[in-house]
């Protein structure tokens, strides 16, 4: 049984709730990633920020990325997966919520991120095909 812990990218870097979107964009550039978890001052996960969020909700809306905070873009409760959840649960969660990245939680601690690419590398082709089809359709 393949678990989230086995296929995740560990040590996810957070953008703080009160940091600017510009700071988040610079972190994404430095880390070569398209999404960052948003964490509060208590290190608890508050949401996810994607490069698409920055383009659509900040730049496209005419907001200043230097004064808009990551926390302003956090929407509701983040969809997560447990570190010991299996591949079937990862795929089900991604499919049900139409997300390509899942923060991995161990207890209340963020321990990594499972991305669609991680799933693709870890699972047999037919399962990956099903996931890609589910995430690509509306």
């Amino acid at each position: 049984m393949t678990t989230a812990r086995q296929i995740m990218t560990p040590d996810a870097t957070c953008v703080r709730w009160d940091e600017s979107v510009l700071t988040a964009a610079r972190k994404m550039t430095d880390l070569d990633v398209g999404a960052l978890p948003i964490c509060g001052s208590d290190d608890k996960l508050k949401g996810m920020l994607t490069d698409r969020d920055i383009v659509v909700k900040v730049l496209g809306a005419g907001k200043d990325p230097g004064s808009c905070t990551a926390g302003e873009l956090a929407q509701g409760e983040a969809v997560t997966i447990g570190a010991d959840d299996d591949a079937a649960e990862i795929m089900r969660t991604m499919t049900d919520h139409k997300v390509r990245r899942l923060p991995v939680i161990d207890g209340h601690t963020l321990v990594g991120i499972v991305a669609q690419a991680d799933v693709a590398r870890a699972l047999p082709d037919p399962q990956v095909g099903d996931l890609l089809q589910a995430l690509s359709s509306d």
Side-chain angles (χ1 to χ4, degrees), residues 1-9 81-90 104 114 118-119 122-123:
M1 172 178 84
T2 302
T3 66
R5 189 184 310 275
Q6 293 170 308
I7 65 172
M8 71 182 187
T9 300
I81 195 81
D84 296 318
D85 287 346
D86 65 18
E89 183 63 24
I90 295 167
V104 180
V114 171
D118 298 322
V119 175
L123 299 179

Side-chain angles (χ1 to χ4, degrees), residues 17-79:
W17 178 266
D18 58 353
E19 286 185 301
S20 74
V21 170
L22 184 58
T23 298
R26 287 181 178 141
K27 283 185 181 186
M28 286 181 186
T29 300
D30 292 346
L31 297 168
D32 192 28
V33 297
L36 291 172
I38 301 169
C39 296
S41 58
D42 57 359
D43 286 331
K44 298 260 195 269
L45 182 67
K46 304 294 184 188
M48 288 290 289
L49 178 66
T50 67
D51 47 10
R52 186 175 193 286
D53 291 333
I54 293 170
V55 170
V56 173
K57 297 175 184 174
V58 179
L59 301 177
K63 295 180 181 177
D64 175 13
S67 61
C68 181
T69 65
E72 291 174 49
L73 301 181
Q75 296 180 338
E77 192 170 325
V79 177

Side-chain angles (χ1 to χ4, degrees), residues 61-138:
K63 295 180 181 177
D64 175 13
S67 61
C68 181
T69 65
E72 291 174 49
L73 301 181
Q75 296 180 338
E77 192 170 325
V79 177
T80 64
I81 195 81
D84 296 318
D85 287 346
D86 65 18
E89 183 63 24
I90 295 167
M91 290 181 38
R92 186 172 29 260
T93 303
M94 285 183 163
T95 301
D96 289 351
H97 295 278
K98 298 275 189 190
V99 295
R100 290 177 165 81
R101 299 168 192 95
L102 285 172
V104 180
I105 304 296
D106 189 359
H108 293 289
T109 305
L110 177 68
V111 294
I113 301 282
V114 171
Q116 180 179 334
D118 298 322
V119 175
R121 284 189 294 273
L123 299 179
D125 288 345
Q127 288 179 303
V128 173
D130 292 344
L131 176 62
L132 294 176
Q133 181 177 8
L135 291 177
S136 298
S137 64
D138 286 341

